[in-house]
Amino acid sequence: MMLHIPAVLNKEQLKTITGLLVDAPFVDGKFSAGQVAQRVKNNRELDQTSQQAKQLDQLVISALSGNKIFRSATLPLRVSQPFFARYSKGMSYGSHIDDPVMGGEAGRYRSDISLTIFLNDPENYEGGELSIQSTFGVNEIKLPAGDVILYPSSSLHQVNTVTSGERMVAVLWIQSLVRDAASREILFNLDLAREKMQYSNPEASETRCVDYAYTNLVRMWSEV
Ligand code: NI
């Protein structure tokens, strides 16, 4: 499932993040890439040991954890540290799939879902679309600042060359409680219906039935 979640970061949070990134040290993005991806990766990434990284990580993680749609769509078990990346003119990330298992000594996790948060508006740069291949064709994604796109880590994707300006994003990976993407999509849809019913008709027997089904399917399909 590919999912666009609007306004995960508000204007104020974006201002703080971009403010912190201005003076933060960036390194060659190849350092964090797997062997195959290294050959096609051409960007710059925030030095994760930098002073700013801790505050930035906290801001992004708390915004995500506070977002209901994010939680419902991903059912997170582990969420990676964010990687903050900049692509200036001429930079790109060629076609690749993400590493299946990531994380170092701090804890390894399986990448089920990839997530990009756009940190600046599309008017700030030309090119730089996130291009994701799915069974329905290629999707070119370029979203307003603060918006998020979720997509399966198993899908082939690339970042097109930036031809002017600068593209700023944060990327993360999620290991979900529910490994199977199709099951996760069913749960997400059921949860949307459940939420609406709990709001509009909390005492109805059908609301209880849907809640029962959702809760017990999560129990049935979760791996911890
Ligand atoms: Ni990738």
Side-chain angles (χ1 to χ4, degrees):
M1 175 173 69
M2 215 177 287
L3 184 71
H4 170 196
I5 314 177
V8 172
L9 297 171
N10 61 33
K11 292 255 176 316
E12 207 174 305
Q13 290 165 319
L14 281 166
K15 212 173 147 192
T16 311
I17 291 172
T18 45
L20 282 164
L21 287 174
V22 168
D23 300 320
F26 276 71
V27 295
D28 190 336
K30 284 191 200 310
F31 292 133
S32 69
Q35 245 178 352
V36 179
Q38 232 175 53
R39 285 189 284 123
V40 291
K41 189 173 185 183
N42 175 20
N43 68 1
R44 307 215 25 99
E45 277 174 2
L46 174 71
D47 177 356
Q48 289 193 311
T49 61
S50 67
Q51 199 193 317
Q52 291 89 341
K54 212 172 176 185
Q55 203 180 338
L56 285 160
D57 289 0
Q58 216 168 19
L59 257 164
V60 167
I61 297 289
S62 69
L64 281 172
S65 348
N67 188 286
K68 220 180 225 179
I69 301 172
F70 166 80
R71 290 199 310 269
S72 176
T74 62
L75 296 167
L77 173 63
R78 296 195 181 94
V79 178
S80 78
Q81 188 182 1
F83 287 71
F84 293 86
R86 341 172 78 119
Y87 292 76
S88 45
K89 191 180 170 185
M91 289 185 174
S92 62
Y93 194 161
S95 188
H96 67 281
I97 53 166
D98 294 337
D99 281 350
V101 179
M102 303 189 197
E105 282 165 25
R108 286 155 79 77
Y109 56 91
R110 185 185 62 235
S111 55
D112 294 323
I113 302 159
S114 302
L115 183 154
T116 297
I117 309 177
F118 291 79
L119 299 177
N120 62 345
D121 278 319
E123 297 77 49
N124 295 118
Y125 56 97
E126 299 282 331
E129 299 83 3
L130 171 63
S131 171
I132 305 168
Q133 277 190 30
S134 75
T135 40
F136 304 108
V138 176
N139 296 271
E140 304 248 298
I141 292 147
K142 196 170 177 177
L143 299 175
D147 284 19
V148 158
I149 183 85
L150 298 174
Y151 57 100
S153 299
S154 55
S155 54
L156 202 57
H157 57 277
Q158 64 178 47
V159 177
N160 296 341
T161 306
V162 169
T163 53
S164 74
E166 187 176 52
R167 173 186 192 261
M168 287 170 61
V169 293
V171 295
L172 296 98
W173 291 270
I174 295 120
Q175 178 174 343
S176 178
L177 283 163
V178 176
R179 181 179 192 162
D180 178 57
S183 309
R184 221 162 40 229
E185 191 167 348
I186 291 169
L187 289 173
F188 178 55
N189 281 279
L190 194 55
D191 195 24
L192 288 176
R194 170 181 170 251
E195 280 281 324
K196 283 218 166 113
M197 291 168 83
Q198 279 178 339
Y199 180 76
S200 62
N201 211 353
E203 300 304 331
S205 62
E206 58 267 33
T207 306
R208 274 202 298 276
C209 287
V210 168
D211 184 54
Y212 173 91
Y214 175 77
T215 307
N216 286 320
L217 277 175
V218 172
R219 195 189 327 275
M220 190 182 288
W221 290 340
S222 285
E223 301 161 52
V224 288

